[in-house]
Amino acid sequence: MAAEKQNEKKVTPRSQDFAGWYNDVILRAELADYSPVRGSMVFRPDGFGIWELLRDELDRRIKKTGARNAYFPLFIPESFLKKEAQHVEGFAPEVAVVTHGGGKQLEEPLIVRPTSETIINHMFAQWIHSHRDLPLMVNQWCNVVRWEMRTRLFLRTLEFLWQEGHTAHATREEAERETLTMLEVYRTFVEEFLAIPLYVGRKSAAERFPGAEETYTIEGLMADGRALQCGTSHFLGQNFAKAFEIRFLDETNQLQLVWQTSWGVSTRLLGAIIMVHGDDQGLRLPPAVAPIQAVIVPISRKPDEAEKVRGAARSLRDSLEAAGIRVKIDEREGLTPGFKFNDWEMRGVPVRIEIGPRDVAAGEVVLARRDRLGPEAKQKAALAEVPAQVTAMLAEIQKSLFEQALGARNTNTREFDDFAKFAEQMEGEGGGGMALMFWCGNPECETKIRETTKATCRAIPLNQNGASGKCIVCGEAATERAYFAKAY
Ligand SMILES: [Zn+2]
């Protein structure tokens, strides 16, 4: 029975089949499941627990910048979307439209928000009158719907969860500063909390948010060599202010249009955590976002031993909880310790604590850390010192997962000055990675890169350090290098 179950829980090795591994990890670790509606997904408690930890910490950081939370409705009048020309062009193909309600056809169809610029700016126009009403900074945590054709759990689904911040300012400079402030909030949050190293920069015109003057991005490189956009911050200029007539009286009593930003990250960050940190055994969670940071596995063969071991395990749990560690005891019956070890490894729990009768007698336990493999992963610890040692170990694991990811990313990032070599790197199985190359900025050269290699411009670094060279495509003079990669 136990052996059968053990087999059932094994995931496809990551090195064999990345996409198969990714789905296996999500389903077997019980993070999410498919819903009966094509392209939408269910967040199971173990997956939603990661999102809650992530959300609470990011919410705290967003509020520190001065933004406050609000909530705007799911339904938006269809006419709102049409008010900003680029915005409607960008979103129309993936919008879900409600035509009937209460058994009747609606006079004006409603769209299900794909993002909330239009409804929020409609309200901003009514709330903003004077320079004293500025800056206005709101954030909302909500779901949005985009009718995607090709979907993948966490990364691209019809409905997903996110936060979207929207701000209005009196001056261009202030709005530009806000855009970059939020970019930096996202960068530090994802690097520190999710242990995912990022490339940061602005998007090319082709990759810009519909309706934005400038889009800035944080980009992660997944373990299979494909990039994932992890968050964006947009400088909207006055595009929406014009469309929704958001005006204010400045200090000299002149009527002015506001300057705006919007910024967001979504549940696709869960996909990034899986694809950056996972290994052949399954998930590896950074301790900061692990719903269970340490799991205690009591080991006993005889009933009289079991009682003693269970008692010791429970008092250990209490002392770990008192130290602020999220801890669980695995008291499931009829499963071998070996099965339980593999199961918790697959679920990505950062620290496992093994305690048996001999350990209880000796006043010690075995600690096993998920960021290492083999004998190196295990060490003994005196019972009284376990809370302090696990606290220190969790901090070390957080750091070591970031360093491992940074090493992998750097190995898989290459500079190119020859188009053929770049194209060859992007090809076939095992191909890909991040490419840093000079690009003249011409959209035609960008299109040629995409059509030849499927790679897109991921980010143009903000600081170019006075770089100059030749465009990898046309050979013309170029003053900027940009990151290109195949992306999710
Ligand atoms: Zn060029």
Side-chain angles (χ1 to χ4, degrees):
M1 174 69 191
E4 259 173 44
K5 265 204 161 165
Q6 195 158 333
N7 262 339
E8 186 189 302
K9 287 279 179 189
K10 276 230 164 98
V11 299
T12 306
R14 193 186 80 172
S15 44
Q16 260 174 39
D17 168 10
F18 195 85
W21 167 84
Y22 178 75
N23 279 334
D24 275 4
V25 168
I26 291 171
L27 298 174
R28 306 257 167 92
E30 299 179 347
L31 303 183
D33 210 340
Y34 295 104
S35 113
V37 176
R38 182 205 66 87
S40 49
M41 62 177 276
V42 178
F43 287 76
R44 299 187 69 175
D46 286 344
F48 202 73
I50 301 171
W51 176 244
E52 286 179 308
L53 288 163
L54 181 167
R55 184 194 64 193
D56 290 352
E57 173 65 14
L58 181 59
D59 192 62
R60 197 181 63 73
R61 294 185 187 212
I62 288 172
K63 284 175 179 156
K64 240 172 118 180
T65 70
R68 296 196 299 159
N69 285 343
Y71 185 78
F72 296 82
L74 174 70
F75 298 125
I76 300 175
E78 196 182 36
S79 57
F80 277 30
L81 194 67
K82 294 176 178 159
K83 287 192 181 186
E84 212 289 331
Q86 288 175 325
H87 195 64
V88 66
E89 198 191 313
F91 282 106
E94 51 191 43
V95 159
V97 185
V98 180
T99 57
H100 288 73
K104 282 190 210 141
Q105 182 158 0
L106 302 177
E107 276 181 36
E108 181 184 356
L110 300 172
I111 62 165
V112 183
R113 63 181 166 217
T115 178
S116 303
E117 270 76 9
T118 59
I119 183 100
I120 290 178
N121 286 319
H122 172 80
M123 300 313 297
F124 273 19
Q126 298 172 53
W127 297 341
I128 296 170
H129 306 287
S130 143
H131 62 92
R132 283 180 294 272
D133 300 324
L134 298 173
L136 181 55
M137 302 164 71
V138 300
N139 175 57
Q140 78 168 339
W141 292 92
C142 67
N143 57 344
V144 289
V145 168
R146 297 180 185 177
W147 216 262
E148 303 279 0
M149 288 304 144
R150 293 221 314 249
T151 59
R152 199 185 285 245
L153 292 170
F154 290 122
L155 302 178
R156 209 172 278 282
T157 47
L158 296 196
E159 177 188 356
F160 59 87
L161 307 179
W162 77 347
Q163 60 70 218
E164 48 177 320
H166 299 266
T167 70
H169 306 264
T171 65
R172 177 184 190 104
E173 293 67 37
E174 198 183 304
E176 282 177 332
R177 198 161 56 237
E178 168 67 10
T179 314
L180 293 174
T181 296
M182 289 316 301
L183 184 72
E184 183 62 6
V185 167
Y186 287 157
R187 185 192 68 78
T188 50
F189 167 70
V190 172
E191 293 199 339
E192 291 167 5
F193 211 67
L194 311 185
I196 297 173
L198 299 167
Y199 288 118
V200 176
R202 55 173 222 280
K203 287 284 187 192
S204 65
E207 302 287 330
R208 209 174 274 157
F209 178 74
E213 260 187 45
E214 202 75 85
T215 288
Y216 298 90
T217 181
I218 49 171
E219 298 280 324
L221 188 60
M222 306 298 102
D224 65 342
R226 288 171 79 180
L228 183 78
Q229 180 179 297
C230 290
T232 47
S233 183
H234 315 292
F235 172 62
L236 303 173
Q238 294 182 314
N239 292 341
F240 287 91
K242 283 176 194 153
F244 289 87
E245 299 179 31
I246 313 174
R247 293 199 176 84
F248 68 100
L249 283 173
D250 70 10
E251 283 164 8
T252 62
N253 247 11
Q254 302 290 309
L255 210 50
Q256 305 279 2
L257 289 168
V258 298
W259 297 87
Q260 293 188 276
T261 79
S262 68
W263 25 270
V265 303
S266 75
T267 36
R268 76 185 337 216
L269 284 175
L270 270 66
I273 294 169
I274 300 163
M275 291 195 290
V276 166
H277 298 303
D279 65 9
D280 278 355
Q281 275 70 46
L283 193 62
R284 295 197 304 171
L285 286 173
V289 281
I292 300 169
Q293 294 173 310
V295 62
I296 303 170
V297 181
I299 303 162
S300 55
R301 280 178 192 86
K302 300 178 209 139
D304 61 321
E305 286 174 357
E307 201 51 43
K308 262 188 210 148
V309 171
R310 194 179 300 131
R314 286 179 182 174
S315 88
L316 183 59
R317 175 196 57 197
D318 294 346
S319 60
L320 285 163
E321 265 174 5
I325 294 162
R326 296 186 288 273
V327 59
K328 181 188 170 74
I329 306 182
D330 184 352
E331 292 187 328
R332 289 178 291 177
E333 285 179 16
L335 297 172
T336 65
F339 169 81
K340 290 183 176 181
F341 295 172
N342 287 337
D343 190 45
W344 293 112
E345 272 176 16
M346 187 272 293
R347 291 168 187 271
V349 172
V351 175
R352 184 178 71 236
I353 303 167
E354 305 167 9
I355 182 165
R358 252 179 283 168
D359 299 313
V360 175
E364 59 184 23
V365 298
V366 172
L367 303 180
R369 48 193 288 180
R370 182 66 177 89
D371 63 326
R372 292 185 185 164
L373 291 173
E376 245 188 63
K378 288 200 180 193
Q379 68 183 69
K380 288 204 171 207
L383 259 175
E385 285 160 27
V386 172
Q389 287 214 22
V390 171
T391 302
M393 194 176 268
L394 290 171
E396 275 176 38
I397 294 171
Q398 185 78 22
K399 203 162 154 253
S400 104
L401 287 179
F402 180 81
E403 278 160 10
Q404 289 178 36
L406 185 65
R409 184 198 72 169
N410 291 347
T411 304
N412 219 354
T413 299
R414 300 168 186 87
E415 296 183 23
F416 290 98
D417 52 17
D418 180 272
F419 190 85
K421 284 193 181 130
F422 157 66
E424 192 187 330
Q425 174 61 35
M426 290 296 125
E427 262 170 29
E429 283 291 299
M434 194 65 91
L436 182 61
M437 1 188 253
F438 277 102
W439 168 42
C440 65
N442 189 331
E444 281 175 27
C445 294
E446 186 184 13
T447 304
K448 192 183 165 198
I449 290 172
R450 192 183 66 241
E451 284 175 354
T452 320
T453 67
K454 294 201 183 97
T456 50
C457 181
R458 305 316 307 160
I460 305 162
L462 302 182
N463 187 354
Q464 293 279 344
N465 299 312
S468 73
K470 284 178 181 167
C471 174
I472 186 118
V473 182
C474 67
E476 296 292 316
T479 56
E480 286 190 316
R481 295 199 294 181
Y483 288 107
F484 284 84
K486 291 193 278 188
Y488 280 99

